[in-house]
């Protein structure tokens, strides 16, 4: 008679783990999914889906109907995408997760280049670069669709750079944590504006200059620290980053200003994008011309210390995307038409890049 066998709990768990770890029974990890937007004038074929595995990233067939998608954001909950058509007659396209078009609305301006969702998901703002104005919609809380026409808020001002600053050029928008202030960075006016928002009506009730940047510096993008009342302002024309302390009234007080370029470099370059990691310990920005990513350590008080400059893995790095879950920083290199992959090391420094998918005219990456 064969004796019966009843496994112990410890033996059962160990056996289960061993089986799960075997190649035949291991569950494959689902591919990571991103999208890349491109400029038609640079040969871009539309929005390109990207699929990431442990072996790297591959590009899928482009969605040709979505042209000049230079930026976009997701609705709260991630059911919808709002993608900008950066053209003379600016449009905001609304899409589902499969990139099926659900309609579009006018941005009431020319060449929209940045967008932001309010913390509660009830408002959406867009920066129109060429026309120098900001558009803002209320969103239906159930559907995520814009309600009515956008409100347009015009900027004013100019700077000493006669080629780039003859008038206002809104380049970045972002809501405060309480949703009551919409900050807008304007390259042409050398200013950060603070537009006061009434959450009940979703309308702008007044505007002030929150920060007056150095003349000719051309501020472009701003990134908030995740915990401290501190923001970091990237100036495109001056190639600098300024530490800004947030005031209770929505304004800023400037701290230190640092160069985004290596000492001794005097070639043409312009800052493009800036981002802070989730822990609030590292800041990264891209330099077009020098073709690098600069990494800064963020001190406990929010101050910055330069860590390194590393190649962007191509030419003209526009937007980049921090993917901390994969320990990667992905760079959209516009003029070389490729997405480069830089590994994020344990200390926050970046490893030398590897060349990812070829995407002509790539300027935007999003989850």
């Amino acid at each position: 008679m064969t004796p019966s066998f009843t496994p112990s709990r410890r033996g059962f768990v160990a056996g289960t783990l061993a089986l799960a770890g075997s190649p035949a029974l291991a569950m494959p990890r689902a591919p990571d999914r991103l999208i890349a937007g491109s400029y038609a004038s640079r040969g871009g074929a539309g929005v390109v889906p990207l699929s990431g595995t442990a072996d790297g990233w591959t590009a899928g067939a482009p969605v040709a109907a979505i042209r000049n998608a230079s930026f976009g954001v997701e609705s709260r909950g991630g059911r919808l995408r709002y993608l900008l058509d950066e053209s003379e007659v600016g449009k905001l396209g609304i899409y589902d997760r499969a990139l099926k078009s659900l309609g579009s609305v006018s941005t009431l301006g020319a060449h929209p280049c940045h967008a932001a969702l309010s913390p509660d998901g009830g408002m959406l703002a867009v920066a129109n670069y060429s026309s120098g104005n900001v558009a803002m919609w209320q969103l239906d809380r159930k559907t995520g669709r814009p309600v009515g026409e956008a409100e347009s808020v015009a900027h004013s001002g100019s700077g000493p750079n006669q080629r780039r600053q003859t008038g206002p050029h809104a380049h970045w928008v972002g809501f405060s944590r309480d949703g009551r202030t919409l900050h807008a960075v304007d390259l042409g006016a050398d200013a950060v504006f603070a537009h006061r928002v009434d959450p009940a009506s979703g309308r702008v009730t007044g505007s002030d200059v929150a920060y007056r940047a150095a003349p000719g510096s051309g501020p472009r993008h701003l990134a908030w620290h995740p915990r401290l009342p501190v923001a970091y302002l990237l100036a495109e024309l001056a190639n600098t980053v300024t530490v800004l302390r947030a005031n209770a009234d929505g304004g800023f007080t400037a701290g230190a200003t640092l160069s985004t370029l290596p000492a001794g470099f005097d070639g043409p370059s312009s800052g493009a994008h800036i981002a802070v990691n989730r822990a609030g310990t590292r800041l990264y920005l891209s330099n077009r011309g020098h073709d690098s990513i600069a990494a800064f350590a963020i001190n406990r008080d929010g101050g910055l210390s330069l860590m390194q400059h590393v190649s962007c893995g191509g030419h003209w790095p526009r937007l980049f995307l921090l993917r901390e879950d994969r320990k990667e920083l992905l760079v959209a290199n516009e003029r070389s038409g490729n997405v480069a992959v830089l590994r994020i090391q344990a200390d926050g420094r970046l490893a030398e890049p590897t060349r990812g998918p070829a995407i002509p005219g790539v300027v935007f990456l999003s989850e």
Side-chain angles (χ1 to χ4, degrees):
M1 182 176 179
T2 303
S4 62
F5 172 69
T6 303
S8 67
R9 181 178 181 275
R10 181 178 296 176
F12 176 79
V13 171
T16 301
L17 291 174
L19 287 172
S22 67
L25 297 179
M27 294 295 290
R29 181 181 175 182
D32 203 355
R33 305 290 186 186
L34 299 175
I35 61 169
S38 62
Y39 279 157
S41 62
R42 295 278 184 191
V47 165
V48 178
L50 297 175
S51 179
T53 67
D55 297 324
W57 292 91
T58 56
V63 182
I66 309 178
R67 295 169 58 82
N68 298 312
S70 62
F71 199 80
V73 292
E74 290 184 344
S75 65
R76 193 172 185 182
R79 292 182 297 116
L80 301 179
R81 295 184 190 273
Y82 309 104
L83 299 179
L84 301 178
D85 179 351
E86 189 177 333
S87 55
E88 186 69 33
V89 180
K91 292 182 180 179
L92 173 76
I94 300 105
Y95 303 87
D96 65 14
R97 293 296 299 178
L99 296 177
K100 176 185 176 182
S101 176
L102 303 176
S104 66
V105 292
S106 170
T107 65
L108 306 181
H111 300 110
C113 58
H114 196 267
L117 196 69
S118 64
D120 65 358
M123 291 177 286
L124 178 69
V126 166
N128 289 302
Y129 178 80
S130 293
S131 51
N133 68 305
V134 169
M136 190 169 68
W137 295 262
Q138 278 192 294
L139 301 177
D140 185 288
R141 299 304 179 96
K142 292 183 179 179
T143 66
R145 305 283 189 94
V147 178
E149 191 176 72
E151 177 184 13
S152 177
V153 182
H155 290 176
S156 62
S158 60
N161 187 315
Q162 291 302 302
R163 189 175 68 88
R164 299 290 307 278
Q165 295 184 308
T166 56
H169 293 303
H171 216 312
W172 181 96
V173 284
F175 287 90
S176 59
R177 291 184 176 96
D178 62 7
R180 293 179 177 274
T181 302
L182 176 70
H183 287 107
V185 178
D186 196 295
L187 183 148
D190 281 327
V192 180
F193 293 95
H195 303 301
R196 295 184 295 279
V197 179
D198 175 14
S201 66
R203 311 296 287 183
V204 172
T205 60
S207 301
D208 298 298
V209 174
Y211 174 68
R212 183 69 68 184
S217 60
R220 176 184 172 99
H221 276 197
L222 184 148
W224 281 96
H225 191 280
R227 296 182 310 280
L228 300 174
V230 170
Y232 304 97
L233 182 65
L234 172 63
E236 175 177 337
L237 303 182
N239 297 290
T240 58
V241 57
T242 299
V243 180
L244 299 179
R245 308 283 172 178
N247 304 325
D249 62 358
F252 295 104
T253 300
T257 294
L258 294 80
S259 174
T260 67
L261 298 170
F265 177 81
D266 59 359
S269 195
S270 59
H273 188 57
I274 187 169
V276 178
N277 68 348
R278 286 194 296 258
T281 58
R282 298 291 182 265
L283 179 142
Y284 304 94
L285 55 86
S286 54
N287 293 306
R288 297 173 297 178
H290 185 253
D291 289 344
S292 65
I293 304 296
F296 290 83
I298 300 177
N299 308 324
R300 289 186 177 182
D301 65 353
L304 299 175
S305 302
L306 177 66
M307 295 173 62
Q308 68 170 155
H309 288 89
V310 63
S311 169
C312 67
H315 181 34
W316 214 249
R318 189 178 164 98
L319 186 140
F320 58 84
L321 190 63
L322 280 172
R323 299 304 309 283
E324 296 183 64
D325 53 333
R326 290 177 61 98
K327 297 181 172 60
E328 291 178 345
L329 185 148
L330 305 179
V331 186
N333 288 307
E334 178 184 345
R335 294 186 180 176
S336 56
N338 72 293
V339 175
V341 182
L342 285 70
R343 297 289 297 174
I344 303 173
Q345 301 178 108
D347 63 356
R349 292 175 181 269
L350 301 173
E352 290 297 316
T354 57
R355 194 179 180 93
I359 303 176
V362 63
V363 293
F364 170 59
L365 298 166
S366 177
E367 298 180 350

